[in-house]
Amino acid sequence: MTRRLFHLRAFKCIAFLSILTAGWASAASAPPSIGAKRAIVIDYDSGRILFQKNAHDKCAVASTQKLLTALCVLDAGSLKDSVTVAKTDTYVEPTKVYIKPGETYTRYDLLKALMVKSGNDVARALARDVSGSQVNFANYMNQKAAQMGMKNSHFCNPHGLTEKGQYSTAYDVAVLARNAYSRRTIRDMVSTEGYYFQHPGGPRKYLKSTNRLLKSLSFCNGMKTGTTNASGRCLVSSGTYKGRTAIVVVLGATSATVWTDSEKLLRWALGV
């Protein structure tokens, strides 16, 4: 082999490796500074942790736990099954979709409203329909969480409103989000910017996603917001760029930082 040919092949090899590793370039650099109290970034395919900040601190995670509610509903039977709303389903604080007692929907209808608009009344209706009571569904949630390896979590309700003894961690929420993202039905729902929800025999209502990054970032494709006084502003976000997907969990942020923190971490992880 001539020296010229050797150098040519070596150059091609280096160029090829550069292309393969380009998406990881930013993840190898220093992560951005964020204001959130807790956060974690993982590579979806491998599960590798790219960044973490107080990721094992127990805390309230608000509506991000609805991803677990969604997994439980998916694994409990057909989404074509009918659900008739009970009066007790509506006994909950907003955010609500304002379903009414006696109305009948499919589980799919309610699950999509849960993922896009984060309706707490919808969460209660699904929980009661699947397990017979809110308490039984919470037990189901904890069993599912344990099966996924969420070792520092305990759930008391399907919607994430503050309740004594209910907590998780950024790491556990990342485990949850990775499992949820693996389900095509959930992926399709959490990537929806908005759609028209049909009330039986009534008007259609436009439900806009609570995740602003879906509109502002072309590579963002999910996942779930959450806010309570106890949790602060929370966001689980996912993004795909040049064939790679990253999941970012930000907990305990403020209204001013939750979106910027999440965007900075997504861009850093994906090299955008």
Side-chain angles (χ1 to χ4, degrees), residues 117-172:
K117 191 59 179 176
S118 200
N120 295 329
D121 48 355
V122 167
R124 284 180 59 86
L126 285 167
R128 176 193 52 78
D129 178 66
V130 167
S131 298
S133 71
Q134 305 300 310
V135 172
N136 288 343
F137 189 80
N139 291 334
Y140 178 26
M141 291 174 72
N142 288 315
Q143 291 171 6
K144 179 74 70 178
Q147 290 170 1
M148 290 188 291
M150 299 170 66
K151 298 179 180 180
N152 290 302
S153 299
H154 186 264
F155 301 98
C156 301
N157 62 55
H159 41 66
L161 292 177
T162 306
E163 193 165 333
K164 185 178 180 180
Q166 180 162 260
Y167 57 84
S168 188
T169 68
Y171 175 84
D172 278 7

Side-chain angles (χ1 to χ4, degrees), residues 12-210:
K12 289 181 177 180
C13 182
I14 291 171
F16 179 68
L17 289 174
S18 296
I19 293 171
L20 286 178
T21 59
W24 290 91
S26 64
S29 63
S33 175
I34 61 170
K37 295 178 180 178
R38 307 163 196 91
I40 191 169
V41 182
I42 63 170
D43 176 74
Y44 167 68
D45 288 324
S46 67
R48 178 189 171 201
I49 297 174
L50 305 178
F51 168 83
Q52 56 183 317
K53 176 183 178 182
N54 301 322
H56 296 282
D57 287 1
K58 293 179 180 179
C59 61
V61 299
S63 288
T64 63
Q65 71 186 53
K66 284 173 179 160
L67 291 171
L68 178 56
T69 299
L71 281 173
C72 288
V73 172
L74 272 181
D75 291 342
S78 174
L79 293 184
K80 295 179 181 180
D81 288 355
S82 296
V83 181
T84 299
V85 180
K87 192 172 183 180
T88 55
D89 298 337
T90 65
Y91 295 165
V92 66
E93 299 173 21
T95 300
K96 299 170 71 171
V97 177
Y98 294 98
I99 53 178
K100 297 178 181 179
E103 291 180 338
T104 299
Y105 300 89
T106 65
R107 284 185 178 177
Y108 179 90
D109 294 334
L110 297 181
L111 187 60
K112 187 172 183 178
L114 181 73
M115 292 291 93
V116 175
K117 191 59 179 176
S118 200
N120 295 329
D121 48 355
V122 167
R124 284 180 59 86
L126 285 167
R128 176 193 52 78
D129 178 66
V130 167
S131 298
S133 71
Q134 305 300 310
V135 172
N136 288 343
F137 189 80
N139 291 334
Y140 178 26
M141 291 174 72
N142 288 315
Q143 291 171 6
K144 179 74 70 178
Q147 290 170 1
M148 290 188 291
M150 299 170 66
K151 298 179 180 180
N152 290 302
S153 299
H154 186 264
F155 301 98
C156 301
N157 62 55
H159 41 66
L161 292 177
T162 306
E163 193 165 333
K164 185 178 180 180
Q166 180 162 260
Y167 57 84
S168 188
T169 68
Y171 175 84
D172 278 7
V173 173
V175 171
L176 166 61
R178 187 174 181 229
N179 278 273
Y181 192 88
S182 72
R183 308 295 286 272
R184 181 173 180 177
T185 297
I186 294 180
R187 282 202 312 275
D188 289 345
M189 290 178 176
V190 298
S191 65
T192 302
E193 290 186 31
Y195 75 104
Y196 284 95
F197 178 82
Q198 180 67 59
H199 288 271
R204 294 195 310 161
K205 182 178 181 180
Y206 187 76
L207 301 184
K208 183 179 179 181
S209 174
T210 55

